[in-house]
Amino acid sequence: MELWFTEKQTKNFGITAKIKRTYVTEQTEFQKLDMVETEEFGNMLILDGMVMTTQKDEFVYHEMVAHVPLFTHPNPRQVLVVGGGDGGVIREVLKHPSVEKATLVEIDGKVIEYSKQYLPEIAGELENSRVEVKVDDGFMHIAMSENQYDVIMVDSTEPVGPAAKLFEKGFYEGISKALKEDGIFVAQTDNPWFTPELISKVFKDVSEIFPITRLYTANIPTYPSGLWTFTIGSKQYDPLEVNEERFHDIETKYWTKELHKAAFALPKFVADLIK
Amino acid sequence: MELWFTEKQTKNFGITAKIKRTYVTEQTEFQKLDMVETEEFGNMLILDGMVMTTQKDEFVYHEMVAHVPLFTHPNPRQVLVVGGGDGGVIREVLKHPSVEKATLVEIDGKVIEYSKQYLPEIAGELENSRVEVKVDDGFMHIAMSENQYDVIMVDSTEPVGPAAKLFEKGFYEGISKALKEDGIFVAQTDNPWFTPELISKVFKDVSEIFPITRLYTANIPTYPSGLWTFTIGSKQYDPLEVNEERFHDIETKYWTKELHKAAFALPKFVADLIK
């Protein structure tokens, strides 16, 4: 018998992956959590039926969330990751020596627990002494923070279930308040093929709060359409105006100095979404 | 009853699309040809079980094959398209007024016939007076051509079946001979996630024949991994050294002046394939 996991990425389109074994299938307090081993992408974390990360392609998302804002800010010391319980963004954040403390606020402790167990090369740095892990509501954490962070990264699930409120304008206002006066934030904002309205809406909301708003992309094969977008809101620093001398050497598999800027060169139909 | 078409893009991974109806399912002289209507991507041409083009995302491939070499060459007049019987590359080629004649050499007349019928907005320009359509073997056509073309585009299927010989070094030597002394060619060269060896091999072969060899990418959601590569071999003109004043206005949905160069900024793991 062959087992295949199929994610319907839209009502009418999806991806399908052959499964070697299922490690976990559990209804947590917040969502359905599956951890499986796939033939093609190694271990895979699935939340509410949607692929969150896989061993083979996780580096793209995690590097591109972390390094673009961290190389844009001249001296990031206090960093907050909202969501991201698999620990991949934290791992990349720690590659920046200026970072004194990285705080992770993940609402679902089970995501952290199973990631440590089945995705150790992604979650391993959650034990690092520069990291504080809080199992808590990221929305509330943001609401109670003021002038505290240099960089905030929103590593959420899709805007359904527990993450829905992380795509509301009020949340971005909270982020602005939680950031220092020269702070910068990034959020994953889905894909332009199946959810163009979301990208337009978030970009508009963010640009009404932050003086500098930018959209960039990366290729993630297990995410819908393979083309993922990230929206940056920044109070002072423009990712397109980075002094390239600031790029120190870090070990990456996706991010490069050239891609840092090239990732903002959008296909025309994507650029049209944020006009 | 719901009908879903599934393409196994690798042995262990694939995409699946809900089908409204099947227009054609036929074994031609060269390959299995299916033309279906999907819910998500409109009409879809499938050859030997692999998605070739769809109404919704066809513009990416066709624009990026055509405009990158045509804007690199300062005065492209004679253009050859090998394969590409759906007519999409030809449609984009004709947007360049310098082009006097575009020749299409497609081995399978059925691809042309059914594309005209079911993909009219893609194939419509095949009737243009600047176009010559030949139902013939592209490999042989190249072998018999000398000093004839300014730009050659290889719009082939994957390196199995009728297109296998279009990925051999001897074919690229033939292309070099068929090109004028300042000619340039481009070939689609699959994706870096599932077929990294192919990209490395083609790049090496081409760089042993052409003084300038470059790799660029585009996002095509219905192609494996969503990240497609294109390899350029050029005798004189470097796509990265294009004078931007040469970019005339054309109507596109993917290609932009900025993307023309940004598409060559490769993710590190892709850049490593062609070192």
Side-chain angles (χ1 to χ4, degrees), chain A residues 1-237:
Chain A
M1 183 181 72
E2 285 192 358
L3 289 178
W4 289 71
F5 158 69
T6 300
E7 174 185 342
K8 283 173 75 169
Q9 299 174 325
T10 74
K11 220 178 93 190
N12 301 307
F13 187 76
I15 56 169
T16 187
K18 192 173 172 188
I19 301 296
K20 272 187 184 169
R21 80 194 86 185
T22 301
Y23 294 116
V24 180
T25 182
E26 180 174 327
Q27 183 68 43
T28 76
E29 190 182 343
F30 300 97
Q31 52 206 341
K32 178 85 189 310
L33 187 158
D34 295 283
M35 185 75 76
V36 299
E37 182 182 3
T38 70
E39 294 275 358
E40 187 66 54
F41 285 94
N43 290 355
M44 176 185 275
L45 170 65
I46 302 162
L47 296 178
D48 285 338
M50 294 175 281
V51 177
M52 287 297 113
T53 199
T54 81
Q55 288 180 310
K56 184 170 174 176
D57 72 348
E58 56 91 5
F59 64 91
V60 182
Y61 180 90
H62 296 137
E63 290 181 13
M64 292 302 280
V65 166
H67 300 314
V68 175
L70 287 172
F71 275 126
T72 298
H73 194 291
N75 186 28
R77 289 176 297 165
Q78 300 292 323
V79 174
L80 172 66
V81 178
V82 176
D86 57 57
V89 173
I90 288 286
R91 182 193 63 201
E92 297 303 315
V93 167
L94 296 182
K95 291 180 180 174
H96 293 257
S98 70
V99 174
E100 295 162 3
K101 186 177 167 192
T103 304
L104 180 89
V105 181
E106 162 66 53
I107 200 167
D108 193 340
K110 291 288 187 182
V111 172
I112 299 171
E113 177 188 335
Y114 290 125
S115 295
K116 283 182 176 174
Q117 191 171 351
Y118 296 105
L119 304 167
E121 70 291 341
I122 302 179
E125 294 296 331
L126 290 176
E127 309 286 348
N128 192 294
S129 62
R130 291 152 72 201
V131 178
E132 180 180 9
V133 175
K134 293 185 177 182
V135 177
D136 207 347
D137 182 340
F139 190 90
M140 289 306 296
H141 183 91
I142 287 288
M144 292 183 303
S145 302
E146 195 166 339
N147 193 30
Q148 198 168 337
Y149 297 106
D150 299 300
V151 179
I152 295 175
M153 293 140 181
V154 184
D155 178 6
S156 68
T157 54
E158 297 312 281
V160 290
K165 60 192 174 187
L166 304 186
F167 290 84
E168 289 170 8
K169 191 175 179 186
F171 181 61
Y172 305 128
E173 287 166 343
I175 284 179
S176 178
K177 182 176 61 67
L179 285 170
K180 296 182 188 163
E181 65 182 9
D182 61 349
I184 179 170
F185 95 101
V186 65
Q188 72 86 2
T189 43
D190 216 312
N191 81 87
W193 290 95
F194 306 136
T195 61
E197 302 82 4
L198 178 82
I199 292 169
S200 298
K201 182 198 170 297
V202 170
F203 196 89
K204 181 169 176 293
D205 287 349
V206 173
S207 64
E208 285 168 8
I209 302 166
F210 288 83
I212 298 163
T213 310
R214 302 280 185 213
L215 188 76
Y216 63 100
T217 70
N219 157 249
I220 304 173
T222 56
Y223 280 11
S225 89
L227 185 68
W228 216 244
T229 72
F230 305 88
T231 302
I232 275 187
S234 179
K235 295 187 181 182
Q236 285 192 24
Y237 311 116

Side-chain angles (χ1 to χ4, degrees), chain B residues 200-220:
Chain B
S200 297
K201 181 197 169 298
V202 169
F203 196 89
K204 182 170 176 292
D205 287 350
V206 172
S207 64
E208 286 169 6
I209 301 166
F210 287 83
I212 297 163
T213 310
R214 302 281 184 212
L215 189 76
Y216 64 100
T217 70
N219 159 247
I220 304 172

Side-chain angles (χ1 to χ4, degrees), chain B residues 220-231:
Chain B
I220 304 172
T222 56
Y223 281 11
S225 90
L227 185 68
W228 215 245
T229 73
F230 304 88
T231 302

